[in-house]
Amino acid sequence: MMKKAIGASVASLMLLSVPAWAEWSPDRPVEFVVASGAGGGSDNFARTIQSVLTRNKLIDKPIVVLNKGGGSGAEAFLYGKQNKADPSKLIFATNNAYLLPHVAKLAYSVSDLQPVAALAMDEFIVWVKANAPYKTITDLTDAAKAEPGKIVFGGSQSKDVDETLVALIEDAAGVDFKYVPFNGGGEASVQLAGGHITANTNNPNENIGQWQAGAIRPLCVVSAQRMAKSEPIQGEMGWQDIPTCKEQGLNIDSYQMPRTVWMPAETPPEAVAFYQQALKAVFDSPEWQDYLTKTSQTGTFLTGDDLKSFVNDSETKTVAVFKEQGWSTE
């Protein structure tokens, strides 16, 4: 019933015809510029949106995906700066768009970009090897108290979302872990399954294969509430059966990474409005709901003041961690 309603919503938008959505529509091919390499989460995010837009004829111009992941995504954001006011460029990213300039001296600032929309939130889970002695996050932090700097957390890159979360856990629990960066969450999951690290903070999609295989298991999800119900993944356990870290005594309310879309600064407002309408149609589509289910992300659509408020709050809280850890370049 829900999918029929969603499909009807998309169909009704399509009947309006693209130009009727706003005062503007693309007059040349559109570039989806991805702030990561091929095959990663941001790449999958962009290509899913490209597929929905193209299949449902929500944009009548060709859409080309370009991967510009150099410098942890800075290459894509610099490209946005270099194409100021160009309405044919959309940049697909996470929170790295506004956080990178705080930890590295770069040739762009977030003011060179314009936020368009957020469509999903990545949840973060603390994972350990299946045969690890830890049953809760408190067991893990107690072990870290007993051996400061010895418990090894792995994650994707340094001074990024994973290491920031590890720093937040350290601060909340009053402990000291050893953090080891890898070239992406996929590599971190392999290292955990092989027993080369003690824990990681991967999002659900990055560790699902190892969990299904029984090589690793989740301790808790860093969220205000448990994840949505799913089919069993390992034994009788699904995503909804993972307790929140706060349930287990860790005083962190929530930690999420947004999947975001940006455009170059000074893009005409009618162009931004057009893409916001198109992205809302994507968000309402059954294909997008399937994507969220497969990636175990939380569907969240933000634009305008709501998106700016989220970005400002996220930036303020995260930069405070950067400064406390001595990572900030400011």
Side-chain angles (χ1 to χ4, degrees):
M1 181 69 70
M2 183 179 292
K3 286 193 175 183
K4 287 183 179 179
I6 291 170
S9 173
V10 175
S12 65
L13 280 170
M14 291 173 63
L15 287 173
L16 291 175
S17 81
V18 171
W21 286 0
E23 301 173 0
W24 181 92
S25 63
D27 61 2
R28 58 185 183 275
V30 176
E31 291 183 359
F32 279 13
V33 184
V34 182
S36 74
S42 293
D43 185 58
N44 190 20
F45 171 57
R47 292 180 189 276
T48 299
I49 292 174
Q50 176 201 35
S51 175
V52 177
L53 291 172
T54 301
R55 185 181 299 116
N56 293 306
K57 300 180 180 179
L58 300 172
I59 290 181
D60 61 1
K61 291 292 185 288
I63 301 172
V64 180
V65 177
L66 302 177
N67 292 95
K68 293 183 177 290
S72 298
E75 179 186 7
F77 309 134
L78 181 58
Y79 185 73
K81 176 182 178 178
Q82 292 166 342
N83 287 277
K84 182 177 180 179
D86 188 337
S88 69
K89 317 286 192 229
L90 278 77
I91 301 163
F92 290 75
T94 61
N95 52 7
N96 55 351
Y98 53 88
L99 294 180
L100 272 177
H102 293 287
V103 294
K105 293 193 178 296
L106 301 170
Y108 89 95
S109 71
V110 71
S111 62
D112 295 312
L113 305 173
Q114 180 168 343
V116 177
L119 286 86
M121 299 285 174
D122 277 18
E123 305 292 350
F124 285 82
I125 295 171
V126 178
W127 303 85
V128 295
K129 195 162 169 53
N131 61 0
Y134 321 110
K135 304 303 180 186
T136 68
I137 188 67
T138 302
D139 292 341
L140 185 61
T141 55
D142 283 348
K145 288 176 184 176
E147 294 186 285
K150 299 293 185 181
I151 302 294
V152 182
F153 258 93
S156 176
Q157 304 176 345
S158 62
K159 302 177 184 179
D160 203 350
V161 288
D162 288 326
E163 189 170 9
T164 300
L165 177 52
V166 172
L168 286 170
I169 295 172
E170 289 177 324
D171 186 60
V175 299
D176 181 26
F177 295 111
K178 180 179 179 180
Y179 180 81
V180 178
F182 295 100
N183 294 320
E187 185 176 337
S189 68
V190 170
Q191 293 296 317
L192 179 59
H196 305 296
I197 58 178
T198 307
N200 70 27
T201 56
N202 272 351
N203 63 46
N205 194 48
E206 289 173 325
N207 271 13
I208 189 172
Q210 284 77 13
W211 188 24
Q212 287 173 325
I216 65 172
R217 57 182 168 81
L219 289 185
C220 61
V221 57
V222 192
S223 176
Q225 60 275 320
R226 293 195 181 198
M227 296 171 63
K229 188 174 181 179
S230 71
E231 295 295 323
I233 296 169
Q234 169 55 229
E236 296 181 356
M237 191 176 184
W239 296 119
Q240 73 280 358
D241 297 310
I242 303 172
T244 69
C245 294
K246 196 158 189 178
E247 285 178 57
Q248 296 184 345
L250 184 69
N251 191 26
I252 300 178
D253 290 326
S254 179
Y255 187 81
Q256 296 176 310
M257 182 179 73
R259 295 289 175 181
T260 55
V261 182
W262 304 74
M263 295 187 76
E266 298 185 23
T267 299
E270 58 269 24
V272 175
F274 172 86
Y275 289 114
Q276 287 172 334
Q277 291 274 11
L279 292 170
K280 183 60 169 67
V282 170
F283 183 81
D284 288 338
S285 71
E287 296 100 319
W288 187 252
Q289 303 311 308
D290 288 343
Y291 163 80
L292 292 174
T293 299
K294 289 175 183 176
T295 59
S296 302
Q297 292 175 298
T298 299
T300 304
F301 190 79
L302 300 174
T303 58
D305 290 341
D306 289 338
L307 178 56
K308 289 177 183 177
S309 178
F310 176 90
V311 168
N312 289 339
D313 183 60
S314 171
E315 185 174 21
T316 298
K317 290 179 178 178
T318 310
V319 170
V321 176
F322 291 168
K323 290 180 178 178
E324 181 179 325
Q325 296 294 317
W327 303 340
S328 176
T329 58
E330 298 169 349

